[in-house]
Every structure is written in structure tokens, then in C-alpha cells.
Amino acid sequence: KAVEGEISGEVPATFLQLSDNVEFVLDADAASALTRFDTPWLVKDCVWDNLLKKKAVIWLSEAVGKPILKLTEEDYNNHGMAQLAVEQGPVYEINIDIFNQVQHTITGWPGGKPGADDSQRPERAEPAHKRSIVFSPHPDDDVISMGGTFIRLVDQGHDVHVAYQTSGNTAVWDDDVLRYMEFAIDFKASVGEDTAKLKGIYEDMRKFIGTKLPNQVDTPEIRDVKGFIRKTEAISGARFAGLPDSNIHFQALPFYETGKTKKNAVGEEDILLTMELLKKIRPHQVFAAGDFADPNGTHIVCFNIIIAALRRLRETEDWVNDCWMWLYRGAWQEFPTHEIEMAVPLSPAEVLHKRNAIFKHQSQKDRPVFPGDDAREFWVRAEDRNRETAQCYDKLGLAEYAAMEAFVRYYF
């Protein structure tokens, strides 16, 4: 907005456009929405690698409101893409190439289709039954972000594991703690056990919560109860997806356990714990959070820990060379269509199944502690995002689905 937007008091830096001598110094991410980087064909000649060509054709399809296969040479010429038409045309062949590339990202077999020709599929056909691990930074990211794919991997017979990297104990309301403590006291009394000690802890909790200051760290007992709440919800969600308890792993990585929004720096123990779990499972597939826009930065920290663990293991473990990593995104953002390398379509029934898995995380429903700038509930965001991805594919001229979960392969 400052560099290319209209001059406005809402963005005072726009007035710098009136100066004859101003230099903006930006990093790549800050500059990513500028025309020269986002849609460079509008302002200059381009070096047309495949990713840029794919991005441009999808952009053109959306800009003129036509499916890819109906784009014409006139459309290319009128929207800054004449160079592409001349260098790599005729345009209809470009259209067919990009259409096929997008079409080949769609698969109902996220673990690979056994016995099929996988040359045009996003995932390998063999081994037919893979070991897959879904890393979930918080105890609900797995079902929010890729719940449909998670369930489908289980249904298709793969050995699926889930690893909850953090306890998520900062994202539970204080009154939920009291409610669960009251339940525990009543249950203990109902089986004839002494409740005096538990009542004492409960009263201390009520006193602390009643005088708690903003951003004050909870007592260890309160943090434990909040962690137990998130843990039991995660177990319920993973069971609903079809996992046996033996395939549900809670890492409780130390970097997170500060009791505050601000976390510690990643330590050696975080990486070693992740290496230990990976060595135990020896996965063919790793799914990890690739949405680094979460407000507290936990997702990118967890991602970096996984990458560090895999790179170290690659030096001594042969199985790592046959391990593929897929990134998913969740409640905060989605991959641009041209970047998607695997799109898993969901039927209306599967959308509902995913929703019910998300509902197992009751502490995050209605009003989560950290909602970000989006007022929608997490399950609503997930459904809207998956439906919008499917609609993007539909508008490009591909099959119409109820929803789609999107993934990008990461080469570590």
C-alpha cells in the first residue's frame, strides 16, 4: 500500500510517493505483494520457468473469469502475457499443459494408490501400505488442517501416527480448569475416596484465578490441568479419526513449557525428542504444519525442529532418503493454487466427519483463547478454506468437489 496504493492518510507512508528521492528497503516477504514480484508479467519481460508460467495462467483464468482451456491469445495479449504466448505458444498448448499439471495434483489417495501408474500422481504407489506421521504443533492442528486426509489415510490401511508437539496449555480458559476440578472432586467422592487434598488444591486455584493479573504465569497445577484438557481432547479426536492409542504420541516439547505466550528458544532436547520418535516410526510420509502465520509463532518453531531432526537423521538413517514431507496449512492461511502439489478432495460426508473430529476439541470451540484477527470458529474457517480451494479448481475448469485439502511437498 505504501509503494503502490493510493495516497491516503490511513497509510501515511503513501505520501512518500510524492518525493523525488525515496528508497524503500524490503525483504522478500514484505515485497511479495508488489506488482513486480506478484505479477511481474504486467510490468516487465520474464524468465518463464514452469512455476511462474503456472502462476500466470491461473491468474489469467481468474482475472478474465474463464476456465483455463477457454483462454485465448487475445486474453494473453491484453493481460501482459504476450511474451509467454510468443516464446512458448501457441496458447492452447500452454493451456493444456497447465490444465494437466493442475489436474494431476488431485488425488483421493494421499498415501499413494497401490498398483497404479504413479508417474502423474503426487504420491508414490509403493509401498502400498506406508507409515505416516502427522506432526501437530498444537493438539488440534491435525484435524483442523488435514482432518479429511488424516481419516482417509487411516481408512486406506496405512500405519498412521500423530505427534502432538506441544501441550497447548496456554490456550484454555481458567473457568474450564475449575469445571474439570469440580468434576474430579465429585467423581472421587462418588467412589468413596478422600477429597480433602483435591479440595485444597481447588481452593488455591480459585484464589489464584480470582486475583490473576494479565499475562501472569499460571501455577504448575493449573498448567497441568489445562494440558490434561488439551490432551484428552486430542486423544478423542485422534480416536475418532480411527487411530489406536498406541499411535498417538504427546511430545510436550520443552521450548513451549513456559506458561507464557512467549516461548523459550529451541533447545537440543526438542530436536532429540523428535529424532527419537522419527527413529521409532521410520515413516515414509511426514505431514507438518506449513502455515507460519499463526499469531504466536509456534508453527514455524515446530516446523524447524522437524527439519533439524530429519537432516540429522539423514546422515545415519537410510530410511530418511525414502521419506517424503508434505506441508499442510490450517486456520490461518491457504497455499496459493499454483503452489499446490497435492489436493485431496472431500465429499460432503467427509466434510461432516472432519467437522465432528474438530468438535472433539471442546476447549477451542465457540471462543478460543487465541482466535487471531478472524472471528470465525476454527471449524468454520477450515470448512470455508477447503470449500474455497475446491471452488478455485472448479473455476479453472476441473471437477467440482465439495471441498479440498491442499498440500505442498517440502524437500529437506
Side-chain angles (χ1 to χ4, degrees), residues 110-349:
K113 187 173 183 179
D117 176 7
D118 58 12
S119 59
Q120 301 293 336
R121 291 178 174 272
E123 205 13 299
R124 302 151 292 174
E126 301 299 333
H129 298 287
K130 294 181 174 65
R131 292 184 298 276
S132 304
I133 182 168
V134 178
F135 280 100
S136 182
H138 299 99
D140 57 353
D141 289 314
D142 54 338
V143 289
I144 289 174
S145 304
M146 55 169 290
T149 302
F150 189 177
I151 293 166
R152 185 168 290 187
L153 285 167
V154 175
D155 289 346
Q156 291 174 349
H158 300 286
D159 181 19
V160 183
H161 295 251
V162 63
Y164 299 104
Q165 294 175 274
T166 71
S167 66
N169 62 7
T170 60
V172 177
W173 296 106
D174 291 338
D175 55 0
D176 281 344
V177 173
L178 300 180
R179 181 163 59 88
Y180 276 84
M181 284 295 294
E182 290 156 3
F183 172 88
I185 292 168
D186 287 344
F187 179 77
K188 199 167 186 179
S190 74
V191 295
E193 293 193 10
D194 181 32
T195 61
K197 184 175 181 180
L198 208 55
K199 284 182 176 178
I201 296 172
Y202 169 75
E203 291 301 331
D204 289 342
M205 287 179 171
R206 286 198 68 174
K207 183 177 179 181
F208 174 84
I209 289 171
T211 59
K212 184 178 174 181
L213 300 173
N215 300 317
Q216 185 175 354
V217 177
D218 287 326
T219 64
E221 294 81 6
I222 291 175
R223 294 207 303 272
D224 282 346
V225 173
K226 289 182 176 182
F228 297 152
I229 291 171
R230 299 299 305 270
K231 181 177 181 178
T232 55
E233 291 173 347
I235 291 172
S236 180
R239 285 175 180 166
F240 187 80
L243 255 60
D245 290 359
S246 59
N247 287 21
I248 305 172
H249 310 275
F250 292 91
Q251 293 189 282
L253 294 177
F255 86 89
Y256 185 89
E257 300 302 320
T258 65
K260 300 180 288 186
T261 303
K262 185 175 177 59
K263 308 305 179 187
N264 291 327
V266 171
E268 182 70 7
E269 189 176 357
D270 299 303
I271 298 172
L272 291 177
L273 286 168
T274 303
M275 290 174 65
E276 181 182 349
L277 180 60
L278 286 166
K279 284 177 70 175
K280 176 182 175 182
I281 298 171
R282 298 167 62 90
H284 301 97
Q285 289 181 310
V286 170
F287 291 89
D291 52 342
F292 306 140
D294 73 297
N296 296 324
T298 302
H299 286 203
I300 193 168
V301 174
C302 288
F303 169 79
N304 288 334
I305 291 170
I306 299 167
I307 294 301
L310 284 168
R311 286 175 175 162
R312 285 197 200 178
L313 288 170
R314 186 171 55 194
E315 297 175 2
T316 57
E317 302 284 325
D318 291 339
W319 60 265
V320 181
N321 295 321
D322 194 38
C323 178
W324 287 19
M325 186 174 192
W326 292 100
L327 302 185
Y328 61 78
R329 285 186 175 176
W332 311 106
Q333 59 185 161
E334 183 56 282
F335 294 109
T337 306
H338 70 278
E339 292 182 6
I340 295 172
E341 294 179 80
M342 181 163 68
V344 180
L346 306 180
S347 69

Side-chain angles (χ1 to χ4, degrees), residues 11-193:
V11 186
T14 55
F15 286 93
L16 292 171
Q17 295 176 23
L18 300 174
S19 174
D20 294 330
N21 188 19
V22 175
E23 183 175 359
F24 283 84
V25 181
L26 311 174
D27 65 20
D29 289 336
S32 62
L34 290 173
T35 299
R36 72 198 77 172
F37 298 109
D38 186 39
T39 51
W41 52 87
L42 295 176
V43 292
K44 63 181 182 181
D45 287 343
C46 300
V47 177
W48 291 101
D49 61 21
N50 186 68
L51 185 62
L52 185 62
K53 180 169 70 171
K54 187 176 179 183
K55 180 179 182 180
V57 173
I58 291 173
W59 171 87
L60 180 61
S61 173
E62 294 170 346
V64 301
K66 293 181 181 180
I68 290 174
L69 294 179
K70 290 186 178 180
L71 296 174
T72 66
E73 188 168 354
E74 184 179 8
D75 295 325
Y76 276 66
N77 293 338
N78 290 341
H79 293 82
M81 292 167 57
Q83 180 201 5
L84 175 60
V86 170
E87 291 183 1
Q88 300 191 26
V91 298
Y92 192 62
E93 291 187 6
I94 298 174
N95 295 345
I96 292 174
D97 177 32
I98 299 303
F99 179 87
N100 287 337
Q101 288 187 44
V102 178
Q103 186 178 48
H104 292 155
T105 65
I106 303 173
T107 181
W109 299 83
K113 187 173 183 179
D117 176 7
D118 58 12
S119 59
Q120 301 293 336
R121 291 178 174 272
E123 205 13 299
R124 302 151 292 174
E126 301 299 333
H129 298 287
K130 294 181 174 65
R131 292 184 298 276
S132 304
I133 182 168
V134 178
F135 280 100
S136 182
H138 299 99
D140 57 353
D141 289 314
D142 54 338
V143 289
I144 289 174
S145 304
M146 55 169 290
T149 302
F150 189 177
I151 293 166
R152 185 168 290 187
L153 285 167
V154 175
D155 289 346
Q156 291 174 349
H158 300 286
D159 181 19
V160 183
H161 295 251
V162 63
Y164 299 104
Q165 294 175 274
T166 71
S167 66
N169 62 7
T170 60
V172 177
W173 296 106
D174 291 338
D175 55 0
D176 281 344
V177 173
L178 300 180
R179 181 163 59 88
Y180 276 84
M181 284 295 294
E182 290 156 3
F183 172 88
I185 292 168
D186 287 344
F187 179 77
K188 199 167 186 179
S190 74
V191 295
E193 293 193 10

Side-chain angles (χ1 to χ4, degrees), residues 347-362:
S347 69
E350 288 172 318
V351 171
L352 184 59
H353 200 169
K354 173 177 176 174
R355 181 194 302 177
N356 289 332
I358 297 172
F359 281 179
K360 300 300 181 183
H361 296 268
Q362 294 180 0

